[in-house]
Amino acid sequence: MADRAQPLSPWPGILAATGVAALILGTLVAVVLRAEAGTGLGASDWAALRFTLVQASLSALFSVGLAVPVARALARRRFPGRRVLIALLGAPFILPVIVAILGLLEVFGRAGWVSQGLGLFGLEPIRIYGLHGVVLAHVFFNLPLATRLILQGWQEIPAERFRLAAQLNIEGASMFRLLELPMLRQVVPGVLAVVFAICLTSFAVALTLGGGPRATTIELAIYQAFRFDFDLGRAALLSAVQLILTGTAAFLALKVSLGEGFGGGLDRQVRRWDGRGSRVLDAVWILLAGAFLLLPLAAIVLSGVPGLLELPPVVVRAALTSVGVALVSTLILLLLALPMAAAVALGRAGAVEMSGILGLAASPLVIGTGLFIVIFPIADPFDFALPVTAVVNAVMALPFALRILVPRARAVVARYGRLGLSLDMGGWSFVRWVLLPRMRPQIGFAAGLGAALSMGDLGVIALFADPELATLPLQIYRLMGAYRMEAAAGAALLLLALSMGLFWLLDRGGRWHAEA
Amino acid sequence: MLKLERCLISNGEFDLSADLEIEQGQRIAVIGPSGAGKTTLIEAIAGFRPLAQGRLFWQAEDLSEKPPGRRPVAMLFQDGNLFPHLTVAQNVGLGLRPDLRLDKAQQENVMRALSRVGLDGLEARKPAALSGGQQSRVALARVLVQGRAMLLLDEPFAALGPALKAEMLDLVAELADETGATLLMVSHDPDDARRIAGQVVLVAEGKAHPPVTTAELLDNPPPVLRAYLG
C-alpha cells in the first residue's frame, strides 16, 4: 500500500480546485492578453490608482486606530449585552453594502440626522460624497472586523499574565507597555493589511459615495471604462493594474496575517483586576462604536417601513431574481467547497487551499471583465448576467467557506475515518452517513454566509446587467440614482430582511437537531 | 489460522517485527509495556498500517494488500466506535451494509443482535442517550452482525469501571465462542488476559513474540515483562 488507506477520494476536491483555479487564472490571462498597454495609463487612471491607495490607507488607519480602544474596552469590561454586541460585530460582514450606504446617508448625509443636528446650531451640513464618504463607509464595515481581530489578540494574552500583573500591582500605562503593547505590535500590522486589502477592491461604496475624477477607485474605473466607454482594452489594462495591486496586498496580508475569528472563543472573558479608573472612558468607546454601527441600521428600518408597504413591481421582481441567484450561488459554493474541504482533510492541502485563496487576490470586476472578454466572441455576454453573477459570487465566498468547513472536515476524517474504513464504508456511504451529517452545522453556516454575500452583492451584476434585468442591490442603486429615496429605503429594508433571513434560515437549519 | 510471515511494521518512530501464527478460534491477549507497539500490531492486522516487509495471511488468503474494510476483521477502537448522529440500529446496521440499505432479513438480524447483547427496545436511541456500558454493547452487536472471522479489540473498554469492564470482557468471550471468531485484544491489565485469554502475545523491545499460554507467561514473566508488571 503506497497510500495510507482513506475513506474518501480526494479527486472530486482536486477537480473542483482545478476548476476554480482555471476560472480565475483563465479570466486573468484573458484580461492580460486583451489589455492595451500601448495607450498606457492616462491621467485619470493615475488619479484612480492614487485615490484607491489613499482611501484604502486612510480606511485601514481609521478602522484600526478606532478598533484598538474599542477592543480594549470590550476585552476588560463585563456588562450585560456584551456577547450580543460582539456577535453584532460579525454582522457587517454579511450586511449588503448598498443597505449600509443608505443607512449611512440617512445618518451622515446632507439631510441626515447629524447634519440636521448641526443645522440647529446654525452649522453647515456635512458632506458625505467623495473621499470622506468612502472612508466613512469603509470604517463602518471594517471597524467591526478590526475590533474582532484585535479583541482576539487581547483574549489570547494568557490569563496568568494578568494575574501576575495584578499581584505586582501593575496598572494603567505600565500594564499597557508590559502586556498589551507587545500584543498589539504583533496583531495590528496584520489587521491593517487585511483592511487595506479589502478596501482596495471596493466597488459598491465607490460607486455610490465616490465617483467623479477625484473619487474613483480602480474597480470603479474598470466599470466606467466598460459601461460608459465600452473600451474593453482600457478595462482590461485597469484590471491588470488592479490585479497587481490586490495580488500584492493579499500576499502581504496573508504574510503578516493571523487566524481570523469567525465567532469561536471571543466571548471568553479574561478576569482583569486593573483599569478601575478608566471605566467611564471604556463605556464611552463602547457606546460610540455601538451607536456608529447601530444608528445606520436603525435609520434603514425606520425609513424603510413606509416604502415596504408599496414596493414597486420592479423591486419585487428584482428581489425574486436575487433570491434565485443567491440560492444557485450557494449551491455552486457548496459543490465546490465541500469536496475541496474533504480533499484538504485527506491531506491534499497545498494546491487545493491555494486555489481557494485565489478568490481573495482577484477582484469580482476583474473576473467579470475577463469572463466578458471570454464570452464576447462566442455569445452575447449580457445573456449570461445571472449565471456569471452566481458563479463569481460563489468563487468570492469560497475562501470563507473553506475556512469554516476545513477544520471540521479534518476533525471528522481524523475521528471517524478508521471506523468507516473498518466497516468498509467507502466513498458515497461515508459522505452520506458520516461526513455530511457530522458537518451539518458548518455547512449551514457556510451556506448562510454564501447566500447572504451573494444576496447583497453589487459587483459583477452592475457590469453585465441590461436595463431589463436587475438584482435587488442593483435595483436599489437605480432607485437612488432616480432620487426615489423612499422606494430605495423600502427596497433596502427588504434586502436587509432577505439577506439576514437567508443567513438565519440556513445557519439555523444546519444546527437544527444536530447531535453534539 | 492467522499468520504473520516475517513482518516488519513501521510506525514512524520505531519498527516492530512479527513472525508468528495464531490458531483459529484462539483468544489472545496482546500485552507489553506502554509504547512497545501493541496497537501498532493490531493496526497492521486490521490494515490501518502498511507492512514494510513480510506478508499477512488468513488461512490461505494473503491480506497484505487488502483495504481494512475488506479484511475478515471486525475492530473496536479505544474510542469513537459509534457514530453519535446515527441511531443504535443504524450503528449496528452499518456492519451489514455500509450504505444502510437493509432488507427485511437484515433488519431482523440487527434486532436479534441487539437482543443478544441485552439492548431490547433501545434501537431508536442515539448513543448519547445510553450509558457507557450500553454503548459498548452496541459496538459488540455490530461486531456480531459483521460476522468476521477475527475480532480485534484495542482496549475499547478502558474507560469503563472495573466491574463493567469485566462484564464486557465476559460478553466478548461468549460472543467469540458463539461465532467461532479468533480474538485478539490489546490489554494493559494482566487480569484481563487471565480472565478471557487462553494465550498471550508479548510485544516488547521491537518484537511481537509468538503466543504462549497465558498462565505460563504470567506466572513466569521474562525480565522485560516483569519490569512492566512490577
Side-chain angles (χ1 to χ4, degrees):
Chain A
M1 277 193 281
D3 265 334
R4 243 188 61 216
Q6 298 278 21
L8 283 175
S9 161
W11 285 106
I14 293 173
L15 202 69
T18 314
V20 171
L23 173 72
I24 296 177
L25 298 175
T27 50
L28 298 189
V29 169
V31 160
V32 171
L33 290 181
R34 190 68 176 72
E36 284 162 19
T39 53
L41 292 176
S44 64
D45 302 331
W46 283 111
L49 177 59
R50 220 166 20 245
F51 180 76
T52 304
L53 292 172
V54 168
Q55 62 82 13
S57 308
L58 287 176
S59 303
L61 282 177
F62 278 112
S63 300
V64 175
L66 294 171
V68 169
V70 177
R72 187 170 202 238
L74 283 172
R76 63 183 184 182
R77 297 291 161 215
R78 260 144 285 176
F79 52 92
R82 182 179 177 275
R83 285 172 73 125
V84 177
L85 187 60
I86 290 174
L88 264 179
L89 290 177
F93 187 76
I94 54 169
L95 184 68
V97 177
I98 194 87
V99 172
I101 286 168
L102 267 174
L104 287 170
L105 280 174
E106 294 196 22
V107 176
F108 296 101
R110 224 187 144 67
W113 299 352
V114 174
S115 290
Q116 282 173 7
L118 291 175
L120 292 181
F121 300 98
L123 295 168
E124 286 280 296
I126 44 176
R127 290 179 43 236
I128 194 174
Y129 291 98
L131 181 62
H132 319 53
V134 170
V135 172
L136 180 75
H138 284 161
V139 173
F140 176 82
F141 277 103
N142 293 301
L143 172 62
L145 172 71
T147 304
R148 280 171 73 101
L149 291 174
I150 294 172
L151 181 57
Q152 196 176 356
W154 243 291
Q155 309 268 25
E156 276 162 13
I157 300 178
E160 294 79 5
R161 304 259 172 89
F162 286 111
R163 203 174 56 191
L164 182 59
Q167 164 66 27
L168 298 171
N169 200 24
I170 297 173
E171 283 227 356
S174 340
M175 169 73 99
F176 187 75
R177 265 199 312 279
L178 179 72
L179 289 181
E180 303 179 314
L181 195 61
M183 180 280 293
L184 286 175
R185 230 181 256 137
Q186 270 188 355
V187 171
V188 163
V191 183
L192 276 172
V194 167
V195 176
F196 180 78
I198 291 174
C199 294
L200 277 186
T201 56
S202 169
F203 171 69
V205 167
L207 178 70
T208 42
L209 294 177
R214 292 178 49 204
T216 296
T217 59
I218 295 185
E219 202 83 344
L220 183 56
I222 297 172
Y223 167 77
Q224 287 166 348
F226 210 103
R227 290 297 290 200
F228 301 158
D229 312 330
F230 201 71
D231 186 345
L232 264 186
R234 189 155 154 268
L237 181 63
L238 286 165
S239 296
V241 173
Q242 176 73 322
L243 188 64
I244 296 168
L245 216 55
T246 49
T248 314
F251 177 75
L252 285 178
L254 282 178
K255 198 99 193 182
V256 286
S257 179
L258 35 136
E260 215 253 284
F262 260 128
L266 286 183
D267 47 7
R268 191 172 64 94
Q269 289 175 358
V270 174
R271 199 142 177 211
R272 298 272 299 255
W273 290 266
D274 63 312
R276 244 171 241 103
S278 39
R279 190 171 287 165
V280 175
L281 192 66
D282 281 349
V284 168
W285 276 112
I286 291 171
L287 284 175
L288 276 180
F292 180 53
L293 296 177
L294 290 176
L295 282 182
L297 293 182
I300 276 296
V301 174
L302 289 180
S303 67
V305 171
L308 201 55
L309 297 176
E310 37 193 303
L311 289 171
V314 282
V315 169
V316 177
R317 207 162 47 234
L320 291 176
T321 308
S322 270
V323 171
V325 169
L327 291 179
V328 172
S329 176
T330 305
L331 191 67
I332 298 171
L333 173 67
L334 291 182
L335 288 177
L336 291 173
L338 275 171
M340 284 172 74
V344 173
L346 295 169
R348 301 298 183 98
V352 173
E353 277 193 315
M354 265 317 289
S355 146
I357 288 173
L358 271 182
L360 288 180
S363 81
L365 283 218
V366 172
I367 297 185
T369 308
L371 280 176
F372 193 98
I373 293 169
V374 172
I375 298 173
F376 192 52
I378 319 165
D380 182 0
F382 295 112
D383 290 344
F384 291 86
L386 296 183
V388 163
T389 303
V391 168
V392 173
N393 286 346
V395 170
M396 288 297 143
L398 189 57
F400 307 106
L402 284 177
R403 215 153 186 164
I404 296 164
L405 295 175
V406 163
R408 181 67 176 178
R410 277 211 172 104
V412 172
V413 169
R415 180 154 176 82
Y416 296 108
R418 293 200 317 173
L419 177 57
L421 275 177
S422 86
L423 294 170
D424 202 17
M425 298 176 80
W428 179 242
S429 287
F430 191 77
V431 173
R432 161 87 178 76
W433 291 107
V434 183
L435 196 64
L436 292 182
R438 296 306 299 165
M439 292 186 68
R440 221 178 60 188
Q442 286 71 25
I443 293 172
F445 184 34
L449 214 60
L453 286 176
S454 174
M455 193 73 210
D457 176 64
L458 176 54
V460 199
I461 185 67
L463 214 56
F464 275 73
D466 60 44
E468 300 302 306
L469 184 76
T471 58
L472 192 48
L474 183 60
Q475 190 57 52
I476 295 171
Y477 173 64
R478 286 179 183 165
L479 289 171
M480 286 167 71
Y483 294 101
R484 294 176 57 191
M485 297 311 277
E486 181 152 315
L493 182 55
L494 176 66
L495 176 58
L496 180 65
L498 285 174
S499 294
M500 296 296 159
L502 271 181
F503 174 78
W504 185 84
L505 266 181
L506 289 167
D507 180 45
R508 186 67 212 206
R511 284 180 292 150
W512 191 253
H513 284 308
E515 309 294 324
Chain B
M1 185 172 67
L2 174 70
K3 185 172 172 191
L4 284 88
E5 194 179 82
R6 288 194 296 280
C7 289
L8 190 69
I9 310 149
S10 171
N11 87 345
E13 284 157 35
F14 60 88
D15 292 339
L16 180 71
S17 70
D19 188 25
L20 55 90
E21 292 175 3
I22 288 167
E23 291 165 41
Q24 185 171 1
Q26 261 298 349
R27 298 209 296 258
I28 306 268
V30 179
I31 65 173
S34 322
K38 301 186 291 287
T39 296
T40 304
L41 175 70
I42 292 288
E43 285 179 341
I45 297 171
F48 292 110
R49 232 171 243 299
L51 299 178
Q53 285 171 32
R55 293 204 294 174
L56 176 70
F57 291 94
W58 173 251
Q59 317 293 35
E61 189 187 4
D62 186 348
L63 301 182
S64 314
E65 300 294 327
K66 289 212 163 203
R70 305 284 164 82
R71 298 189 181 200
V73 168
M75 179 157 179
L76 294 187
F77 304 96
Q78 269 178 13
D79 52 11
N81 285 304
L82 300 178
F83 294 111
H85 56 286
L86 300 181
T87 64
V88 165
Q90 284 175 316
N91 266 295
V92 176
L94 285 173
L96 288 169
R97 287 209 55 161
D99 59 5
L100 278 178
R101 291 195 196 133
L102 304 185
D103 61 27
K104 192 113 183 110
Q106 287 167 323
Q107 282 167 7
E108 280 163 11
N109 191 353
V110 167
M111 298 310 279
R112 250 197 325 277
L114 283 173
S115 176
R116 170 63 191 87
V117 299
L119 293 178
D120 285 298
L122 298 183
E123 61 276 0
R125 295 234 188 139
K126 300 273 175 77
L130 301 179
S131 69
Q134 287 172 326
Q135 292 179 0
S136 300
R137 285 170 188 271
V138 177
L140 286 174
R142 189 177 60 216
V143 167
L144 206 54
V145 300
Q146 279 183 284
R148 304 278 172 95
M150 277 181 277
L151 171 56
L152 309 185
L153 306 184
D154 188 6
E155 298 193 272
F157 311 128
L160 302 179
L164 203 50
K165 187 168 85 168
E167 194 182 316
M168 285 304 140
L169 288 175
D170 290 345
L171 180 59
V172 165
E174 286 171 31
L175 297 180
D177 280 349
E178 286 168 28
T179 58
T182 306
L183 173 72
L184 274 94
M185 61 170 215
V186 170
S187 181
H188 269 106
D189 186 349
D191 289 341
D192 291 354
R194 283 193 205 270
R195 188 168 192 100
I196 70 164
Q199 295 185 327
V200 170
V201 164
L202 173 64
V203 177
E205 295 170 327
K207 186 167 182 230
H209 297 265
V212 293
T213 313
T214 303
E216 194 181 304
L217 185 81
L218 291 181
D219 294 342
N220 276 308
V224 50
L225 185 59
R226 196 175 306 140
Y228 166 64
L229 294 175

